[in-house]
């Protein structure tokens, strides 16, 4: 069942520059405190959805051109919401729950921890402070970051698709590719991400197959309120 669902998702999302990676809810819940658990049985089938560099040209620009009168908040969020809602229509006999990376619970906690989901699904390796043996940061707060084996840091985690009626007790968990494998490189990655994230150097910590275009870099480097202008939209 998981393979049929995965193939249908690949067919729907791949042409948009989106990836979907399967995981069991139990894998995710097992590594988090109860406050962050997804409220589904452990064997429930879920997919984490990533946007790759080509999403900008394949999905966002066509969406903006077609839906420009309807865009009232963040164009990327609305684009992803639109396409994942259409994906639900591909499964008329299944319940499909969607969670987006920007959604919050009433407690102001995020609905899901995106980087943890990507890691347990084998989509991208979530490098954290605990992955460094000789910690050089003392009492500083250090945030972790996911690195994709093909795109490095040139990607984003956009949402979850959950299939509450599909249980996959025998699904085997893939390990994410440990592409930043040396202590020195991991320290460099976390240093760049935490203290120099604006320059984007952390995204190229590995040799990447594809990165954002100059147009896309300019778009994401622009304050959200001014991005409408770059896409030819009035705010």
């Amino acid at each position: 069942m998981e393979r049929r669902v995965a193939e249908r998702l690949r067919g729907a999302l791949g042409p948009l520059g989106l990836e979907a990676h399967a995981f069991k809810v139990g894998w995710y819940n097992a590594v988090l405190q109860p406050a962050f658990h997804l409220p589904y049985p452990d064997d429930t089938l879920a997919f984490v959805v990533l946007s790759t560099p080509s999403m900008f040209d394949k999905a966002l620009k066509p969406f903006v051109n077609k839906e420009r009168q309807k865009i009232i908040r963040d164009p990327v969020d609305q684009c992803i919401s639109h396409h994942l809602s259409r994906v639900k229509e591909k499964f008329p006999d299944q319940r499909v729950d969607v969670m987006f990376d920007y959604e919050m619970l009433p407690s102001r906690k995020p609905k899901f921890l995106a980087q943890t989901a990507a890691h347990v699904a084998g989509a991208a390796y979530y490098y954290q402070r605990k992955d460094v043996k000789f910690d050089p940061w003392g009492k500083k707060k250090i945030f972790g970051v996911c690195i994709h084996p093909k795109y490095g840091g040139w990607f984003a985690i956009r949402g979850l698709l959950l299939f509450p009626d599909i249980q996959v007790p025998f699904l085997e968990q893939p390990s994410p590719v440990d592409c930043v494998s040396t202590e020195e490189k991991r320290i460099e990655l976390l240093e760049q991400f935490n203290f120099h994230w604006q320059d984007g150097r952390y995204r190229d910590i590995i040799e990447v197959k594809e990165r954002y275009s100059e147009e896309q870099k300019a778009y994401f480097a622009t304050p959200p309120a001014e991005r409408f202008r770059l896409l030819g939209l009035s705010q």
Side-chain angles (χ1 to χ4, degrees), residues 44-95:
T44 302
L45 177 63
F47 290 83
V48 61
V49 177
L50 315 180
S51 62
T52 73
S54 66
M55 181 276 294
F56 192 79
D57 286 324
K58 289 180 176 178
L60 180 63
K61 286 163 99 179
F63 172 78
V64 167
N65 287 334
K66 186 178 179 185
E67 307 285 343
R68 59 177 56 244
Q69 301 302 321
K70 299 178 185 175
I71 295 176
I72 55 173
R73 51 174 204 278
D74 184 274
V76 173
D77 288 348
Q78 281 190 247
C79 173
I80 299 296
S81 174
H82 168 79
H83 286 299
L84 293 192
S85 296
R86 291 191 66 184
V87 162
K88 290 176 69 170
E89 297 168 10
K90 306 268 185 198
F91 301 92
D93 301 325
Q94 297 289 347
R95 177 181 154 198

Side-chain angles (χ1 to χ4, degrees), residues 166-187:
I166 301 179
Q167 302 296 299
V168 284
F170 302 111
L171 187 64
E172 292 187 13
Q173 184 171 10
S175 296
V177 178
D178 181 6
C179 48
V180 188
S181 55
T182 69
E183 177 93 347
E184 181 183 23
K185 275 291 185 184
R186 289 179 180 183
I187 291 172

Side-chain angles (χ1 to χ4, degrees), residues 13-21 49-60 80 148 150-151 153-158 210-213 216 220:
L13 298 177
L16 301 169
L18 300 173
E19 292 182 353
H21 297 263
V49 177
L50 315 180
S51 62
T52 73
S54 66
M55 181 276 294
F56 192 79
D57 286 324
K58 289 180 176 178
L60 180 63
I80 299 296
H148 190 287
K150 183 176 179 182
Y151 305 115
W154 301 100
F155 79 104
I157 303 158
R158 300 296 182 184
E210 191 180 348
R211 56 173 58 86
Y212 292 174
S213 64
Q216 190 171 177
F220 287 116

